[in-house]
Amino acid sequence: MHLLSRYLPASLRSAPASALFGIFVICLYLLVVVLAPVIAPYSETEILGAAYEPWSSTYWLGTDSLGRDMLSRIIYGARNTVGVALMATVLAFLLGGFMGLLAATVGGLVDQLLSRTVDVLLAIPSLIFALLILTIVGTSATSLILVIAVLDSTKVFRLARSVAQTVVVMDYVEAARLRGEGMWYLIRREILPNVSAPLIAEFGLRFCFVFLFISTLSFLGLGAQPPSADWGSMVRDNATLIAFGDITPLLPAGAIALLTIAINFVVDWKLHAASGLHD
Amino acid sequence: MQRVDYMTEAQNKENLLTIRGLKISARVDNKWCEIVHGIDLDLKRGEVLGLIGESGAGKSSVGLAAMGFTRNGCEITGGSVDFDGIDMARASDSQKQALRGMRIAYVAQSAAASFNPAHKLINQYVEAPTTHGTSNDKDAREEAISLYRKLQLPAPESIGFRYPHQLSGGQLQRAMTAMAMSCKPDLIIFDEPTTALDVTTQIEVLAAIREIVREYNTAALYISHDLAVVAQMADRMQVLKNGNTVEIADTATMLAAPVEDYTKTLWAVRNIQRPEADTANADVIMELNNIDASYVKGGEKILKDISIKVKRGQTLAVVGESGSGKSTTARVISGLLEASRGDIVFNGKALPTHFKQRDKNTLRQIQMIYQMPDTALNPRQKVADIIGRPLQFYLGLNRSEKRARTEQLLEQVELDPGQYLNRYPGELSGGQKQRICIARALAAEPEFIICDEVTSALDQAVNKSILDLLTRLQKELNLTYLFITHDLATVQAIADEVVVMLKGEVVEQDTRKALFAPPHHEYTERLLSSVPQMDPDWLNNLLDQRRGQVS
């Protein structure tokens, strides 16, 4: 650990082993996402052999219900699932975060209007809401990202607004207001740096939820559409194999679980750092 | 546990509390660092010892250690704490538990934060005597009422049935003292019991505490940073600095002839004398005419018909108790709170009441320095950015000009630019932070600066240096200050003119000289006479005098 820490940037040196493991796993996933076509032995959609072939030197993890290479599909699946989840979360944070900070900074009528709108959205169960919208507009990667982003931005809004409200009342914000600073400066330079820690931590958690949400939608048949690979639908398509004692369908599920755990390790570390706890 | 009173006369004179070579360490970022470096302390039965020092001197840590207790993350690492034959530093938890509340009691700085808000006072009072078994519920309640009476709380029979929030700060502090006395302890530790109170309230609490401590012949450790307060309470004084003892002496000796330089600086701020200014001929820069203000539209008026004149290049001090409307006046001038009536005239022009309607140049000319430098500086911005922003915003300086001017400003507030330019506020001390706040205000090149209790969160010695700095800058840059404070020593040091406020009204406005010389307005008289003097007999004389007036 000591040898390793010499090569780490200063901010990571104090990180616990679990957080380092988390960061390592996340980097690995990102690498796979970016380099999928290079790493994957076969194409994502090509039917190569018979259905449900066992693990072999040709097909390392066997083939799926249609005879496509399982390993290649898991690798490409990272692209579809992680990519969509990442886009949706980033969008949710841009939208919800900005609106939340705006509501806290301006207050008054703007705050009321935004908060009540969010309350209405929160009152509708998100899975049902997503199913409804996706059935109407049809399932595509874009609509999936947009629907999830809007749904999730409501939760980000609530967090951003409440943490920003404790910062807005500080004297340094008042001093900046009295200086005559505009809204954008207040949000970006005075408030955002002081609320970033909880928002970053929340980003990690939200990402996990979005990830699981997409997998749920895919499992229900409303996520990524065939033939593109995604981990949720891969579990569903090959679920019958479990009955024969084959663990292959659990691998995409395991991939989801591993990423979720890795992200939570990092989030825990960030949360502790932000709250100033020692143990 | 039953107390046994078989002490002989000889033992009676012996030390109740003997601390030898006390060392306390605190854990900072997983490292232990020593904060108290071997302190010796003796306390006889019935004696009151004053512990004095700035924040961080270790006085509270020593006070807690006397009970065998340390703050979270701290540990007693050396020395002995002998309380009547028991080594508190090594006593077991159950041993200490039996002593606390029973033979050693503690009165905290903020009674409001120390009472449980969900229980009535008398129910909290009876807890200690009944759990320690010194008294049953009924007797304890009767004792509580008699103690409340002795401490001169209003309506002693019924006050115990109130909740903490229904009492004022001064009353709560006395109720807390009553609670500490409930088991008739041998030792009480008072940790800054009057620091959070107004001077006029402080008097009553001091008198009550002193009387009851004498009557019960209780030994006490009286912890405070205010030398004048300790002078009234203590038989002996021990001055601490950075975890070391600086000086120990009898109160009278200490006041008359302090030996160490450090002890002298503790009341340095009281010795600043400002030269007389020509207040009659100076022109008026800021004028408030018949201002009314309230926080809720049409609600209760916080300010009633306020009229104030501030003269160019001079300092107007606004004094009053908390809740008198001092800070509200500042908020009205800065435009944070809109006046519901009256007008504000600045440089001969009427100002819009809300700051958003004022132009950038007007905003630039009126700057503000806050009470708490901790919250007035953005913890995520470096010093260079904090001071650089007004330069860029108001004066449109480019990168290199900005840097040069920032360095110049830091030198003006007596900080080394090379060392401080790239620091975050968290890496500065309280005094340094306040200097940065001053530099930020100066960066705007203002004519008028509102100083809202700028020295009250700082230690005495730092306090003086900030006041010196403000005075120097005023001379160099011809600044006008509106200086809000509750401390009359600060007024002596900085003000040319003084406004006394009470319950949202101006009681008196006059030059400093005229205000401090009799005859006074009735309230001003009360305020002035309530400021503790460096005279151990001051409280006695004052109480005699006031009693004489009543009868």
Side-chain angles (χ1 to χ4, degrees):
Chain A
M1 212 65 215
H2 276 288
L3 276 174
L4 191 68
S5 66
R6 200 174 297 167
Y7 301 102
L8 291 171
S11 59
L12 285 181
R13 232 167 260 169
S14 62
S18 60
L20 290 177
F21 169 77
I23 291 168
F24 172 72
V25 170
I26 292 168
C27 291
L28 199 71
Y29 272 67
L30 288 178
L31 215 64
V32 169
V33 167
V34 175
L35 300 177
V38 184
I39 307 170
Y42 303 101
S43 123
E44 176 185 4
T45 50
E46 196 185 347
I47 296 171
L48 299 152
Y52 301 132
E53 274 193 43
W55 295 11
S56 66
S57 55
T58 333
Y59 311 114
W60 285 8
L61 295 179
T63 58
D64 72 354
S65 54
L66 294 175
R68 296 170 293 197
D69 179 46
M70 201 68 187
L71 177 63
S72 306
R73 281 183 70 77
I74 288 180
I75 289 169
Y76 276 101
R79 215 172 218 207
N80 296 331
T81 323
V82 180
V84 168
L86 198 66
M87 293 275 282
T89 321
V90 169
L91 217 60
F93 266 77
L94 288 179
L95 186 68
F98 177 72
M99 290 295 177
L101 295 181
L102 191 74
T105 316
V106 182
L109 203 64
V110 177
D111 183 21
Q112 285 294 327
L113 207 71
L114 286 169
S115 298
R116 296 300 83 80
T117 314
V118 164
D119 285 349
V120 170
L121 280 175
L122 279 170
I124 308 166
S126 51
L127 185 60
I128 296 182
F129 194 67
L131 288 176
L132 187 76
I133 301 290
L134 287 174
T135 324
I136 297 168
V137 301
T139 307
S140 66
T142 325
S143 60
L144 197 63
I145 289 170
L146 284 178
V147 167
I148 295 173
V150 170
L151 280 175
D152 253 45
S153 67
T154 56
K155 283 147 197 159
V156 180
F157 170 88
R158 299 251 293 204
L159 177 78
R161 177 173 169 271
S162 61
V163 287
Q165 270 177 333
T166 62
V167 176
V168 164
V169 294
M170 297 303 240
D171 287 340
Y172 55 81
V173 178
E174 190 184 287
R177 272 189 216 268
L178 271 182
R179 193 157 63 222
E181 299 282 6
M183 189 57 50
W184 183 234
Y185 175 88
L186 285 179
I187 291 180
R188 201 167 53 95
R189 303 302 296 274
E190 300 286 346
I191 300 171
L192 189 59
N194 289 293
V195 300
S196 57
L199 283 181
I200 289 168
E202 175 73 3
F203 184 90
L205 283 176
R206 276 288 129 218
F207 179 68
C208 292
F209 288 135
V210 168
F211 206 84
L212 297 174
F213 193 66
I214 294 173
S215 301
T216 313
L217 284 177
S218 299
F219 188 81
L220 292 171
L222 276 166
Q225 293 302 295
S228 64
D230 104 300
W231 294 342
S233 44
M234 284 167 71
V235 177
R236 180 193 53 189
D237 292 346
N238 305 303
T240 43
L241 277 185
I242 297 170
F244 301 98
D246 188 340
I247 60 153
T248 315
L250 294 182
L251 290 176
I256 297 171
L258 183 63
L259 184 60
T260 314
I261 290 167
I263 287 173
N264 272 300
F265 277 151
V266 179
V267 166
D268 271 357
W269 168 54
K270 277 280 157 205
L271 272 181
H272 274 282
S275 64
L277 291 172
H278 283 293
D279 305 298
Chain B
M1 194 190 243
Q2 196 66 44
R3 255 176 74 195
V4 198
D5 289 318
Y6 51 75
M7 271 172 296
T8 62
E9 191 61 31
Q11 276 174 315
N12 212 4
K13 288 238 167 67
E14 270 174 25
N15 279 352
L16 175 71
L17 180 72
T18 314
I19 296 179
R20 286 287 170 269
L22 176 69
K23 289 181 179 175
I24 299 173
S25 293
R27 205 176 75 169
V28 184
D29 293 334
N30 294 323
K31 268 178 238 146
W32 287 97
C33 72
E34 203 171 80
I35 53 171
V36 173
H37 319 283
I39 279 189
D40 296 345
L41 186 149
D42 295 284
L43 184 65
K44 296 188 184 68
R45 279 181 195 282
E47 186 187 37
V48 180
L49 175 70
L51 279 181
I52 310 161
E54 303 175 3
S55 55
K59 38 189 205 309
S60 292
S61 299
V62 173
L64 289 173
M67 301 191 291
F69 190 70
T70 55
R71 285 214 186 90
N72 256 351
C74 294
E75 219 168 75
I76 297 176
T77 44
S80 66
V81 181
D82 184 298
F83 173 76
D84 206 15
I86 305 158
D87 187 355
M88 297 300 285
R90 279 160 203 87
S92 70
D93 280 350
S94 58
Q95 238 177 326
K96 283 189 273 192
Q97 206 171 5
L99 287 174
R100 285 183 201 150
M102 171 80 186
R103 297 194 57 198
I104 307 180
Y106 180 79
V107 177
Q109 173 169 0
S110 168
S114 307
F115 274 108
N116 186 334
H119 294 288
K120 290 175 183 162
L121 293 173
I122 201 157
N123 294 342
Q124 300 190 46
Y125 174 96
V126 298
E127 253 175 37
T130 50
T131 39
H132 285 295
T134 53
S135 157
N136 61 33
D137 193 76
K138 189 169 159 287
D139 292 345
R141 276 167 200 277
E142 276 165 20
E143 271 168 42
I145 290 167
S146 82
L147 265 172
Y148 289 155
R149 185 171 291 123
K150 275 185 192 139
L151 287 162
Q152 288 161 25
L153 282 163
E157 288 82 12
S158 60
I159 198 166
F161 296 98
R162 296 204 212 159
Y163 288 96
H165 71 266
Q166 293 170 313
L167 268 67
S168 72
Q171 290 169 347
L172 269 183
Q173 205 59 265
R174 278 180 277 166
M176 185 104 185
T177 309
M179 221 164 119
M181 298 300 298
S182 64
C183 293
K184 301 195 179 52
D186 298 318
L187 171 64
I188 301 190
I189 292 146
F190 292 99
D191 193 351
E192 306 251 11
T194 61
T195 305
L197 306 175
D198 285 316
V199 277
T200 44
T201 326
Q202 175 170 283
I203 297 285
E204 299 160 19
V205 178
L206 288 180
I209 289 180
R210 204 178 57 175
E211 235 149 83
I212 202 126
V213 166
R214 284 194 183 156
E215 190 180 331
Y216 285 75
N217 197 29
T218 313
L221 272 182
Y222 196 97
I223 299 166
S224 177
H225 69 277
D226 191 339
L227 207 74
V229 165
V230 178
Q232 311 311 318
M233 308 301 289
D235 305 315
R236 269 190 318 134
M237 291 188 185
Q238 181 161 357
V239 179
L240 304 183
K241 188 195 182 187
N242 298 333
N244 289 308
T245 301
V246 176
E247 197 171 349
I248 309 177
D250 287 341
T251 301
T253 322
M254 180 80 94
L255 289 178
V259 179
E260 301 295 325
D261 284 340
Y262 176 71
T263 316
K264 290 173 190 161
T265 66
L266 279 176
W267 62 98
V269 69
R270 297 171 184 274
N271 298 333
I272 308 178
Q273 271 301 339
R274 192 180 167 86
E276 212 62 34
D278 180 15
T279 48
N281 295 322
D283 63 328
V284 175
I285 183 170
M286 171 76 75
E287 199 175 346
L288 301 189
N289 295 320
N290 311 96
I291 294 280
D292 282 357
S294 53
Y295 278 106
V296 187
K297 222 170 211 161
E300 197 200 345
K301 280 185 197 167
I302 307 294
L303 297 182
K304 293 163 215 153
D305 200 25
I306 296 281
S307 298
I308 293 176
K309 280 194 178 75
V310 193
K311 310 229 167 82
R312 189 182 300 278
Q314 304 197 344
T315 304
L316 176 77
V318 181
V319 285
E321 303 174 13
S322 53
S324 60
K326 310 186 295 279
S327 293
T328 311
T329 310
R331 290 178 77 82
V332 167
I333 295 175
S334 65
L336 282 165
L337 180 71
E338 278 189 273
S340 51
R341 190 173 71 95
D343 49 19
I344 309 163
V345 181
F346 180 63
N347 273 336
K349 275 188 301 185
L351 281 185
T353 48
H354 197 275
F355 76 91
K356 280 198 174 148
Q357 296 149 1
R358 297 180 185 173
D359 60 35
K360 211 163 160 179
N361 200 34
T362 315
L363 291 173
R364 178 183 66 74
Q365 283 167 331
I366 304 176
Q367 290 291 313
M368 192 139 164
I369 305 171
Y370 292 85
Q371 174 174 9
M372 307 292 286
D374 296 312
T375 59
L377 298 175
N378 190 333
R380 295 305 187 93
Q381 288 181 359
K382 287 181 180 168
V383 168
D385 298 323
I386 291 169
I387 301 176
R389 181 60 193 176
L391 293 173
Q392 183 193 345
F393 184 78
Y394 290 128
L395 311 171
L397 300 191
N398 67 31
R399 256 180 109 84
S400 58
E401 287 169 337
K402 203 166 80 177
R403 192 180 163 87
R405 178 78 181 121
T406 308
E407 287 180 1
Q408 207 181 341
L409 282 164
L410 278 175
E411 273 162 18
Q412 229 166 6
V413 296
E414 294 151 19
L415 292 175
D416 174 24
Q419 210 183 334
Y420 293 102
L421 219 46
N422 286 317
R423 290 214 197 167
Y424 286 100
E427 298 160 341
L428 302 172
S429 74
Q432 289 167 344
K433 278 184 216 166
Q434 200 57 287
R435 282 166 193 271
I436 300 297
C437 290
I438 294 171
R440 176 174 64 184
L442 290 182
E445 297 180 4
E447 294 178 27
F448 189 86
I449 300 183
I450 301 169
C451 306
D452 190 355
E453 301 263 14
V454 291
T455 53
S456 46
L458 306 172
D459 288 320
Q460 295 282 318
V462 183
N463 204 326
K464 177 178 183 297
S465 67
I466 294 285
L467 290 178
D468 282 343
L469 173 67
L470 286 171
T471 310
R472 205 198 77 217
L473 290 170
Q474 181 167 42
K475 236 180 268 166
E476 286 173 11
L477 306 167
N478 196 29
L479 296 168
T480 309
Y481 295 139
L482 182 88
F483 203 96
I484 295 169
T485 182
H486 66 273
D487 182 27
L488 290 163
T490 311
V491 174
Q492 285 277 22
I494 191 123
D496 297 307
E497 286 193 278
V498 186
V499 166
V500 181
M501 288 188 76
L502 175 68
K503 292 176 186 157
E505 286 178 88
V506 172
V507 174
E508 202 174 355
Q509 169 162 11
D510 217 329
T511 60
R512 173 179 42 122
K513 197 179 167 197
L515 190 102
F516 280 99
H520 305 298
H521 180 277
E522 189 190 339
Y523 175 71
T524 313
E525 168 75 45
R526 195 173 176 79
L527 198 66
L528 287 176
S529 67
S530 299
V531 178
Q533 302 294 318
M534 288 295 179
D535 169 9
D537 296 324
W538 165 78
L539 184 61
N540 292 335
N541 296 341
L542 180 74
L543 291 173
D544 289 347
Q545 201 183 331
R546 286 197 181 165
R547 268 184 213 121
Q549 278 166 4
V550 172
S551 64

